[in-house]
Amino acid sequence: MNANDSYRLNEECSVLALRLAKHKGSVNLHEYKTVMLASLRSLVKDWGSQYEVCWAWLWENVERKLLAEMGRPASLEAALMAFISAVDDGMLAVIRREVYAQFFALAPGGQDYFKQSVTRLHYIVDRVLAMSLEMYRQPKQMVEDLSGLGLR
């Protein structure tokens, strides 16, 4: 995790919030900080006050982001499920077209990598929609699957 990249930190916290939402029982983030710092103190030979301040700062930011996300995944999953269920063929065609229009507007170089048939491009958008919902249902497995895609 890179604390300098706030977008990446938010992304990691969102995924962690999804995983914690599937956890049975209560989650005490403040206790985790205590255990984390105690573990780091015993593992890092030259642990000092600078490390303590940095790790405490990082965890406080992560904790704040996680607390803001707590309880949201279930309602977001329900809203996404309702949206996907309501999508008809006409709306799906618009979504497929707009996904690539937006993507190519933001990253024009992406056109060099998407030289597949229209059928294949539609399949990719359909998979993205399905995977978006699956991310709420099985976040741990989806992170592993998506990370595996990046390694191929």
Side-chain angles (χ1 to χ4, degrees), residues 33 36-37 47 51-61:
K33 176 185 175 185
M36 175 192 71
L37 289 173
W47 184 267
Y51 286 116
E52 188 88 17
V53 169
C54 291
W55 278 97
W57 174 86
L58 176 64
W59 181 251
E60 287 164 9
N61 279 285

Side-chain angles (χ1 to χ4, degrees), residues 10 23 36 44 69 88 94 96 112-113 117 119 130 135 150:
N10 285 335
H23 177 73
M36 175 192 71
V44 179
E69 291 287 322
D88 61 12
V94 170
R96 288 170 173 160
D112 298 336
Y113 296 97
S117 68
T119 304
M135 188 68 171

